[in-house]
Amino acid sequence: MNTIFKERKIVSRLFAVLLSALLMVPLLSSCGGGSKNASVPPPVDDTVGRTVSDRTSQTEAKKGLSTGQKVAILAGAAGLYYLYNQHKNASQDGAQGKYYLSKNGRVYYRDAEHRPHWVTPPAEGIRVPESEAQKYREFQGYNRSATGRDLSGITSSAAPAL
């Protein structure tokens, strides 16, 4: 009879240790070192109250226009995609630096503190020579058209996660 009691005691101790270890797993996993993105502040939505416009590309486009050259106005998704293509290979940070295309079809840039800022094309649109604007014809906002596709189906492999 003593041997049965000792076996039960050993089994119950092992079971208690196992349950205690299982209860400690969530506690220990929540105290981890955290992820690399934990120190990055949340995104800043610059679309509220103001727009980020690219004055340098507008002046460059205006400089290259002759009196007989046709011009297309890019607004909405077309303007946003134009701004993205103008800045996607830039090397610096900030509004004049590198732009990224998010998975949800929005364009953003990162400031010096690595916070993302959403980009909005200027309300008046961007004047671009028609020959250069042809690649944006299918997008919404080409010559102020309300029809066309948005940027949600376009992905970029160079975009870091938000």
Side-chain angles (χ1 to χ4, degrees), residues 14-91:
L14 287 175
F15 189 66
V17 168
L18 178 67
L19 285 177
S20 298
L22 287 174
L23 289 173
M24 293 292 286
V25 168
L27 178 67
L28 293 175
S29 66
S30 67
C31 295
S35 67
K36 184 175 87 172
N37 295 335
S39 63
V40 176
V44 177
D45 193 356
D46 287 336
T47 60
V48 180
R50 70 180 187 98
T51 60
V52 176
S53 62
D54 185 12
R55 300 289 180 206
T56 57
S57 67
Q58 286 178 341
T59 55
E60 287 173 9
K62 287 180 186 177
K63 281 185 213 173
L65 298 176
S66 65
T67 55
Q69 193 173 20
K70 290 189 176 186
V71 175
I73 305 292
L74 300 180
L80 201 55
Y81 196 44
Y82 173 78
L83 289 174
Y84 164 73
N85 283 330
Q86 294 295 105
H87 290 90
K88 68 182 178 182
N89 295 323
S91 59

